[in-house]
Amino acid sequence: MAHQGTMEFEGLVLENLPNAMFKIQLSDGRILLGTLSGKMRMNHIRVLIGDKVELNIDKYGGRARITRRF
């Protein structure tokens, strides 16, 4: 379930960065920084380069929160 005021997108992981941060390319070509959601960290779900992920972006276009790995 998305947080209030966020939009859901799908993207492709381009690069792993320190502190569970990722560079993600959306289907429209934009590149964003994203972090893992708390549930994904708690359950030790790994996200690798090339994975397709679902993410929530706040309405201001800041950092994304990765909520699911396909």
Side-chain angles (χ1 to χ4, degrees), residues 12-39:
L12 187 69
V13 176
L14 297 178
E15 184 178 352
N16 289 344
L17 301 171
N19 295 332
M21 298 279 290
F22 300 91
K23 275 191 182 177
I24 303 165
Q25 182 175 17
L26 300 179
S27 58
D28 61 359
R30 289 189 292 168
I31 296 177
L32 297 173
L33 279 178
T35 62
L36 289 177
S37 66
K39 291 273 186 178

Side-chain angles (χ1 to χ4, degrees), residues 6-63:
T6 63
M7 301 172 286
E8 291 187 1
F9 289 95
E10 290 184 8
L12 187 69
V13 176
L14 297 178
E15 184 178 352
N16 289 344
L17 301 171
N19 295 332
M21 298 279 290
F22 300 91
K23 275 191 182 177
I24 303 165
Q25 182 175 17
L26 300 179
S27 58
D28 61 359
R30 289 189 292 168
I31 296 177
L32 297 173
L33 279 178
T35 62
L36 289 177
S37 66
K39 291 273 186 178
M40 291 186 72
R41 286 185 190 202
M42 280 178 28
N43 293 312
H44 303 289
I45 296 174
R46 305 233 177 208
V47 177
L48 304 173
I49 295 173
D51 282 348
K52 192 173 180 182
V53 293
E54 178 180 296
L55 34 106
N56 293 337
I57 303 173
D58 63 350
K59 59 185 173 183
Y60 302 110
R63 291 187 181 167

